[in-house]
Amino acid sequence: MMTLPIGDFVATHDWVWPVCETLHFFAMCTIIGTVGTVDLRVLGFLKGIPIQMLEKFIPLGVIAFVVNVTTGFIFIAGNPVGGPMEYLTNLSLQLKMLLVVIAGVNLLLFYVTGIHRTLETVPADGDASGRAKVVAAVSLFAWIMVIVMGRFIMYNDTLLYALGL
Amino acid sequence: MMDAIENSAYAIWVRESPSIFAYTSILSLHAIGLAIIVGINYLVALRLLGFVPGIPLPALRKLFPWMYLGFTINLFSGASLLAANLTNDLGNWLFICKLVFILFAMINLELTKIHVFDRPGTVGADGLPKNAKAFAWAAFILWGLAMVAGRFTAYPNFVEAWLGF
């Protein structure tokens, strides 16, 4: 079984795991509260809130994402029981990572294709473009499923059972 | 009475069914509801602390139904998880702390709605009622404590050792 030096640190300091879990939850809330709220507004809910103003919270969501990549890395690399491979071979975790990549590529396309510029002129109670709504729907779906798959990691057998694996 | 709840058909299904809709999905719903209510309340609190003043308060008020949606999801998912594990949960003082913090956080949310949005008192130079910042800090602290207590509900032995119980 492969374990890394960080695994020894986690194993000998019992506070690391629960503290990182708590941070992981805080940042999860921050991502949904910032990115999720922008998604809702772009989809046409919450009219009256200017999209451009809500977008100012996105950097906070990015900081929260960095917190969760860091704490997530500690969970995988520092797993004191089964080592990193226990997680890396877990289907729920693999699906969660796939969803994070989908959310990331979606965000990249949002900026690269210029869809974000179509939002600059949307009035406070106006509608976003259809393309922007597609990006928002994909983002909201991906982040919610990231949470679901994150919870399934510890109960991976339930997923395997449902899939007949 | 506790036994009757814990051994009810529903509680047994939540706890023991291998179905993908049982324990793990209810746990996932609980994380989603948490992200919705805390994430959005944190966003509202940041606005009340003076960040992104370009968001008009009447428009911000539209976020309240979404917070209630998050709370409703967690009321039902939480009641289901509690029924499945009633004796253990009620015997865990960190779980009781979590419930108390959630109660105070919800009271704070209602007071914010009344005194900042629906019947604001004296408005300061920044366009915010003068007690808005106090409600915002209370939201950060109370939800923060609820999440810490909630996460550490899984580690009562650690906490008791750290506190020297």
Side-chain angles (χ1 to χ4, degrees):
Chain A
M1 185 183 73
M2 180 180 73
T3 52
L4 299 171
I6 187 176
D8 298 333
F9 184 83
V10 173
T12 50
H13 298 79
D14 63 1
W15 54 269
V16 176
W17 198 272
V19 166
C20 285
E21 280 185 329
T22 307
L23 287 173
H24 209 69
F25 270 80
F26 268 97
M28 169 192 82
C29 292
T30 308
I31 292 171
I32 297 300
T34 53
V35 178
T37 307
V38 172
D39 290 338
L40 284 178
R41 175 61 190 88
V42 170
L43 284 170
F45 299 102
L46 305 169
K47 281 186 180 170
I49 305 183
I51 295 177
Q52 307 82 354
M53 293 299 140
L54 271 186
E55 280 185 284
K56 289 179 190 284
F57 286 106
I58 294 288
L60 187 60
V62 173
I63 292 170
F65 179 70
V66 172
V67 169
N68 275 6
V69 170
T70 308
T71 48
F73 175 80
I74 292 171
F75 295 139
I76 295 172
N79 179 7
V81 184
M85 288 317 285
E86 185 184 24
Y87 281 123
L88 296 175
T89 56
N90 181 302
L91 180 63
S92 300
L93 180 110
Q94 291 167 347
L95 289 173
K96 177 178 176 178
M97 291 305 108
L98 177 66
L99 287 155
V100 170
V101 170
I102 289 172
V105 170
N106 185 54
L107 189 68
L108 202 67
L109 287 176
F110 175 67
Y111 286 107
V112 172
T113 60
I115 295 174
H116 76 286
R117 259 179 266 124
T118 68
L119 297 178
E120 286 168 10
T121 51
V122 177
D125 56 357
D127 270 300
S129 65
R131 286 193 304 165
K133 286 185 180 178
V134 171
V135 170
V138 170
S139 167
L140 205 53
F141 172 79
W143 285 118
I144 287 175
M145 289 310 292
V146 164
I147 297 178
V148 173
M149 283 301 121
R151 286 270 55 169
F152 267 81
I153 294 170
M154 282 296 290
Y155 305 90
N156 194 46
D157 287 347
T158 312
L159 182 69
L160 297 179
Y161 176 83
L163 296 173
L165 297 170
Chain B
M1 189 9 210
M2 301 244 297
D3 282 349
I5 293 172
E6 223 162 21
N7 295 321
S8 66
Y10 180 67
I12 291 171
W13 177 80
V14 170
R15 191 170 58 235
E16 293 169 20
S17 168
S19 162
I20 196 162
F21 299 109
Y23 192 80
T24 315
S25 284
I26 297 171
L27 203 60
S28 302
L29 279 175
H30 207 62
I32 292 167
L34 163 73
I36 293 173
I37 187 164
V38 176
I40 295 180
N41 202 165
Y42 276 8
L43 185 91
V44 170
L46 285 173
R47 171 65 186 87
L48 297 183
L49 288 176
F51 292 93
V52 195
I55 299 177
L57 287 193
L60 199 68
R61 172 74 171 72
K62 293 189 175 180
L63 284 167
F64 275 80
W66 292 91
M67 288 190 272
Y68 296 143
L69 171 70
F71 181 74
T72 307
I73 291 171
N74 276 16
L75 193 63
F76 285 98
S77 57
S80 301
L81 298 170
L82 178 60
N85 199 20
L86 192 63
T87 314
N88 267 333
D89 283 344
L90 293 184
N92 187 328
W93 63 274
L94 282 157
F95 178 77
I96 305 297
C97 286
K98 162 181 153 164
L99 290 189
V100 171
F101 290 134
I102 293 170
L103 176 69
F104 283 131
M106 288 308 291
I107 291 172
N108 181 62
L109 185 65
E110 284 309 291
L111 291 176
T112 307
K113 188 174 76 171
I114 295 167
H115 295 293
V116 176
F117 291 92
D118 293 347
R119 285 189 273 114
T122 320
V123 173
D126 55 0
L128 292 166
K130 61 174 167 48
N131 47 14
K133 285 190 168 58
F135 287 123
W137 281 116
F140 276 115
I141 293 165
L142 291 169
W143 285 124
L145 289 170
M147 274 197 288
V148 171
R151 195 73 293 264
F152 280 86
T153 293
Y155 307 93
N157 298 335
F158 287 6
V159 179
E160 285 164 18
W162 295 337
L163 296 176
F165 284 8

